[in-house]
Amino acid sequence: MGETKIKQPWIIWITGLSGSGKSTICKSLIKILESKNTRYEYVRADEIRQFLTPEPTFSQEEKEFIYRSSILIAQLMQAQGINTIIDSVDGRGEARELAKRYLANFHIIWIDCPLDTCIEREHNREDKAEIVDLYQQALQGQLKLPGLGYDYAYEPNPLLKIDSIAFTADQSARLIADTLE
């Protein structure tokens, strides 16, 4: 890992189940990028959802709207020479496939984490992005989530696959940063 260097402006999509550690890793990655004075934009699906759908239903149509918004933002940032980090689950993988068709210099980083650990992390998460007990709602049948309700579409050929049990957020961020130029 970390042998291939990705040239700027890059777009990386950090994906994994809710609670896998995506946002925590992104926070560590942002610190590294800022220490190197790297221009970037952080496109966090949770924040887009809060703004565009303040009372989310997590319907497939709503998710697609959020993912497409993320892709458009990334495309606009890249046109301005700005590196972009997309932090989003995309459980069915359809948005990642769409991004592959529309975005240049696009790469996927998969954060791998067992579902039971994700559920525990999500329950104890301090930054709930105004969404409380996401997995609990899924366990009660109130909504469908990747891993609970339908299978998560694992990325077949990610730039990096990071085990968030084996690596800390800081170590994971360093692995990612080492692939970015």
Side-chain angles (χ1 to χ4, degrees), residues 4-176:
T4 304
K5 291 285 188 180
I6 306 302
K7 300 217 180 283
Q8 297 186 32
W10 42 256
I11 299 172
I12 58 173
W13 188 312
I14 300 180
T15 186
L17 292 171
S18 292
S20 63
K22 297 179 304 299
S23 297
T24 305
I25 292 167
C26 285
K27 289 174 188 173
S28 292
L29 178 59
I30 286 167
K31 288 178 186 174
I32 294 169
L33 295 176
E34 288 176 349
S35 75
K36 295 180 174 187
N37 295 318
T38 302
R39 282 182 72 192
Y40 72 90
E41 186 60 46
Y42 178 36
V43 178
R44 188 170 177 221
D46 285 345
E47 291 176 3
I48 293 171
R49 182 179 294 107
Q50 287 173 16
F51 184 77
L52 296 177
T53 60
E55 294 184 29
T57 63
F58 294 93
S59 69
Q60 189 55 34
E61 294 79 18
E62 181 181 284
K63 290 176 185 178
E64 184 176 329
F65 179 63
I66 300 305
Y67 299 143
R68 284 179 169 273
S69 298
S70 300
I71 293 167
L72 177 60
I73 292 167
Q75 191 176 47
L76 295 171
M77 292 297 104
Q78 190 175 52
Q80 298 301 312
I82 300 170
N83 301 301
T84 306
I85 303 163
I86 300 174
D87 169 0
S88 183
V89 174
D90 181 29
R92 296 188 193 278
E94 295 165 353
R96 287 177 268 146
E97 291 303 314
L98 183 67
K100 290 173 189 175
R101 290 197 308 269
Y102 284 94
L103 301 175
N105 204 13
F106 173 73
H107 307 277
I108 297 170
I109 297 167
W110 171 26
I111 309 303
D112 188 22
C113 186
L115 179 61
D116 58 338
T117 301
C118 291
I119 292 170
E120 181 181 332
R121 286 179 178 174
E122 191 72 22
H123 180 72
N124 296 322
R125 183 176 171 179
E126 291 177 22
D127 169 17
K128 295 194 185 277
E130 296 185 23
I131 302 164
V132 179
D133 296 325
L134 196 59
Y135 279 113
Q136 192 61 32
Q137 290 179 50
L139 287 166
Q140 293 172 358
Q142 297 170 351
L143 57 93
K144 291 184 179 185
L145 294 177
L148 287 176
Y150 62 92
D151 291 337
Y152 174 76
Y154 295 99
E155 189 58 36
N157 297 304
L159 176 65
L160 294 172
K161 176 183 174 186
I162 299 172
D163 181 336
S164 70
I165 300 292
F167 295 98
T168 67
D170 289 341
Q171 291 169 329
S172 299
R174 176 56 54 204
L175 289 170
I176 296 167

